[in-house]
Amino acid sequence: MNKLIKSSLLLFLGCLLVACSSDKEKEEAAGPSTLTLKLTGTAGGKLVVQQLRDKSWFTVDSLQNYKGSTTFSITSMEPDYYRVLDTANNYAIIIIEPGKTITIEGNLKDMIKTFKSADSKVNNEYYDFQRKLSTVLIHEEEWVKKYKGYMQSPSTEDSATYYLTLLEDMQNKSDAFIKSYIDSIMPSFAVYTMTGYLRIEKEFDYVYKLADRIKNEMPDSKYSRLFVGEISRMKAYKDEQAAKDAQGKAAIGKQAPNFTLNDRSGKSVALSSLKGKYVLIDFWASWCGPCRAESPNMVKLYEKFKDKNFEILGVSLDGSEDAWNGAIEKDGLTWLHVSDLMQWNSPVVTMYGIEGIPATVIVDPNGIIVAKNLRGEELMTKLDGLLK
C-alpha cells in the first residue's frame, strides 16, 4: 500500500475511534473566543489581528485607536494561530482556542521576554518555550560573531575546525532542549511551532515518532494532518532512497566498487590495493563545514585503530589542490588521501551514490561493504566491534 494513502487512512480511522465531531457539530460547540490584549510598546495606535491560512497571514480584525487595552471577539472552529501587529510591524503570535476567554499581556516590541497569559496554558507554553530557547540560541549568535572575527583574521590560535566543532555541539544542545520541551508538554497545540527549530534531517527518527504521537493524541487539528502528511512524504522519500541504495552497486553486503585516484604526490592508488585491511572510505571536502567539524573525531579514531589492520582512505570532493592540501595539514589528517579534484563530477561519487558529505563506507578485508554513513560515536562503536 502507498505510504501516503496508508497514513491518510490511519488518520481517518483514528478520527472515527475518538468520535471526531462533524464541522456542523464543531461550529455549534465552538462559539466566539474573547481575546483581551493589554499591551505596551505599540506604535501608531493601530492594532491588526491576523489569522494564519495556508502559510500566509490574513487580517480578521483591526482597531484604529489602541490605548493600552482592548478586546476582540474571534470565532474559530478549532485551535489556530493568530498574530497581533502594529504599524511598525511589531508582532506577537497568539493561539486562539474555540469558545475560550484569553488575556494576553506584554510588550509588543519584545514578545519573547514579556508575553504571558493569565488564563491560557497553551499560550504560556509557547512563550515559555521561546524564552528558554532564546537563551540556548544566544550562544550561537555569540559564535557567529567570533567566527566572523576568525575569518577576518585566521592567523589566530583557533582553527576553523574548533569553531565548527563548537557549533555542532551547540546545535546538539539546542536539538536536545527542543525535544525535551516538546515531550514535556505533549499533547499541546503549541508543539507545531517548535518542531521547525529542529534539524529535521538529523533528528528525523525523533520527528517521525513525534508525528505518530501527534496523529494519535491530536487527530482533529488541521495542523496535525499537515504535519503528519509532510513527515510521511519525507519518510517515503527516505525509504525510496534507501531502497535504491540497497539495490545499487555500493550496497551493504556487496563488493565495494574498485576505483583508482591520485594521492597528494600524484601517485595512483587503487582501493583494491588495500584489500586485506578494514578500510574506512571517507568522502569529504575542505569547503564542507560538517566534514571539518568531524575532523577531530576522525583523528582520534585513526590514532586508536591505525595499528589494527585498519586504514582510512580520504576521498576529497575538492576542486582546488591548495585548499585540499591546506585542510589536511591544518586539521592534522595523517592518513591516505586521494582525489581527482572534480568535485561532484567525480565518477566515484556516482559509483558510490554519494548525495551529501560527510559520507563514510566501511569495507572489510575481503572487499565487502559492511557499513555506511556512520559518524561520531556510532562510527567509533562500529569499528570497536569490527577491530576487537
Side-chain angles (χ1 to χ4, degrees), residues 245 248-260 270-283 313 315 347-348 350-354 360-372:
D245 185 55
K249 293 180 179 179
I252 293 175
K254 292 189 176 182
Q255 192 78 26
N258 189 39
F259 59 86
T260 301
L271 174 63
S272 58
S273 68
L274 300 173
K275 199 167 184 177
K277 293 184 175 183
Y278 277 97
V279 180
L280 173 63
I281 308 175
D282 178 33
F283 292 90
L313 180 61
V315 179
V348 183
T350 303
M351 188 183 296
Y352 277 80
I354 304 301
T360 57
V361 177
I362 301 177
V363 181
D364 76 5
N366 297 312
I368 304 298
I369 296 174
V370 294
K372 297 178 69 174

Side-chain angles (χ1 to χ4, degrees), residues 229-282:
E230 185 61 30
I231 298 305
S232 294
R233 283 187 286 273
M234 289 179 67
K235 180 65 162 62
Y237 174 77
K238 290 172 74 70
D239 287 347
E240 181 183 352
Q241 293 303 111
K244 286 181 180 178
D245 185 55
Q247 295 171 4
K249 293 180 179 179
I252 293 175
K254 292 189 176 182
Q255 192 78 26
N258 189 39
F259 59 86
T260 301
L261 294 173
N262 288 344
D263 66 12
R264 298 171 68 192
S265 66
K267 178 184 176 182
S268 294
V269 177
L271 174 63
S272 58
S273 68
L274 300 173
K275 199 167 184 177
K277 293 184 175 183
Y278 277 97
V279 180
L280 173 63
I281 308 175
D282 178 33

Side-chain angles (χ1 to χ4, degrees), residues 39-48 62-68 84-92 106-110 115:
L39 306 178
T40 59
T42 56
K46 181 180 179 180
L47 283 185
V48 177
S62 63
L63 179 69
Q64 291 296 330
N65 298 300
Y66 178 71
K67 299 185 184 301
V84 57
L85 71 158
D86 63 13
T87 55
N89 287 324
N90 299 312
Y91 74 89
N107 187 316
L108 195 56
K109 291 181 179 179
D110 196 348
F115 264 58

Side-chain angles (χ1 to χ4, degrees), residues 124-172:
N124 282 330
E125 288 171 340
Y126 172 73
Y127 301 134
D128 180 61
F129 170 79
Q130 291 290 343
R131 272 189 283 276
K132 290 177 178 175
L133 180 63
S134 68
T135 64
V136 176
L137 297 182
I138 191 66
H139 298 298
E140 291 190 22
E141 293 176 11
E142 293 171 356
W143 175 90
V144 170
K145 292 178 182 177
K146 290 180 180 178
Y147 186 65
K148 284 182 178 178
Y150 164 76
M151 293 302 290
Q152 292 170 358
S153 179
S155 59
T156 59
E157 292 183 5
D158 295 332
S159 67
T161 302
Y162 166 78
Y163 285 104
L164 293 169
T165 303
L166 190 61
L167 178 61
E168 178 72 14
D169 181 61
M170 288 188 295
Q171 290 176 328
N172 286 338

Side-chain angles (χ1 to χ4, degrees), residues 46 54 102 116 161 201 314 383:
K46 181 180 179 180
D54 299 323
I102 301 169
K116 61 183 179 180
T161 302
E201 184 64 31
L383 289 172

Side-chain angles (χ1 to χ4, degrees), residues 16 65 118 148 182 208 279 344:
L16 290 179
N65 298 300
K148 284 182 178 178
I182 289 174
Y208 185 67
V279 180
W344 291 103

